[in-house]
Amino acid sequence: AKKQNDGLRIVLIGPPGSGKGTQAPIIKEDYSVCHLSTGDLLRAAIEQGTELGKQAKVIIDQGGLVPDETMIGMIKENLQNPECGKGFILDGFPRTVGQAEKLDKMLDDQGQKIDHVFDFFIDDSLLVRRITGRLVHLASGRSYHREFFPPKVDMIDDVTGEPLIQRSDDNPAVLQKRLASFHSNTKPVLSYYKEKNILSVIDASRSATHVSNHIKSIFFNSLHFPSNKFPIV
Ligand code: AP5
């Protein structure tokens, strides 16, 4: 049974391939909130050939980070979307402590705050296989895996019948740079939220179903949420 909530605002943080983009649509469905993936938004800008897209492509293909100001502007704009009225899942943002501080300030100005943050913890060694086998449907952000979650028809999206692609940054060389950036820029964001006492660590090396159930159990049990805010499934 679904129940409306007065706003669920959560953040998913984890290294490339840890499963953020796999879990977010499941949470979105359960809680009727919006899913904002900054990676998906940047890839949409690249696809549209906008000025931002052109600049972002160079950075993404080198495994670097798009400047904080650009990303904060992007999140601010997208949070206006009516779909985000009941709350949101941020996936891939914030990625630096600067982004986290600006996000808090932005929400505070609106009398809101982040409810909970999930740390998708997984050893780097497991990520190469996940990333090099990943296939994505660009328009929706849906991801598949050649071995773990193959599409019904080879290289075709199950839902739309459109072609799947391999991301240009999904290769072992760029992955190493993305991982290095995660450790130096994004790990401190986890400490930032841990200090605020809103961080839960998830074992992201387990199956997607296991991870999903773990997240759901935290929603039910967490003292940070009033129990009536969550649906009983
Ligand atoms: P982004 O698109 O956010 O990439 P990422 O953080 O590297 O994360 P991924 O999308 O690679 O991984 P994921 O955790 O979503 O994994 P998935 O669920 O698909 O960012 C791309 C780039 O944009 C950045 O490098 C940066 O340049 C720029 N950027 C974005 N945001 C920015 C920001 N805020 N600031 C600055 N720059 C920014 O899973 C991976 C694979 O594994 C899939 O094939 C999936 O099917 C499979 N899988 C998932 N879960 C499991 C499981 N439990 N078991 C087995 N396989 C699984």
Side-chain angles (χ1 to χ4, degrees), residues 98-146:
Q99 291 180 11
E101 287 170 348
K102 288 273 171 47
L103 174 66
D104 275 351
K105 167 111 190 28
M106 191 194 306
L107 293 176
D108 195 44
D109 288 347
Q110 298 164 12
Q112 300 178 356
K113 63 175 180 49
I114 297 293
D115 292 307
H116 212 73
V117 179
F118 293 95
D119 170 3
F120 280 53
F121 182 80
I122 182 168
D123 195 83
D124 286 3
S125 62
L126 296 172
L127 299 172
V128 180
R129 204 158 151 211
R130 286 203 190 175
I131 287 290
T132 53
R134 173 165 55 187
L135 301 170
V136 294
H137 176 244
L138 260 189
S140 67
R142 258 187 298 283
S143 59
Y144 299 82
H145 193 282
R146 287 184 206 279

Side-chain angles (χ1 to χ4, degrees), residues 14-24 37-40 42-43 56 59-68 71-72 74-75 91-96 99 120 122 127 129-136 141-146 148-149 167 169-170 174-175 178 181-182 203-211:
S18 56
K20 308 178 295 290
T22 299
Q23 296 299 329
S37 156
T38 42
D40 286 352
L42 289 168
R43 282 183 287 279
I59 298 170
I60 291 175
D61 285 348
Q62 291 172 350
L65 289 183
V66 174
D68 282 358
M71 298 315 301
I72 291 153
M74 180 179 272
I75 284 292
D91 156 9
F93 181 96
R95 244 179 170 89
T96 64
Q99 291 180 11
F120 280 53
I122 182 168
L127 299 172
R129 204 158 151 211
R130 286 203 190 175
I131 287 290
T132 53
R134 173 165 55 187
L135 301 170
V136 294
R142 258 187 298 283
S143 59
Y144 299 82
H145 193 282
R146 287 184 206 279
F148 309 136
F149 302 113
R167 272 167 52 177
D169 58 342
D170 276 355
V174 178
L175 174 61
R178 288 159 64 197
S181 167
F182 175 77
D203 180 355
S205 67
R206 306 292 300 270
S207 72
T209 308
H210 189 279
V211 172

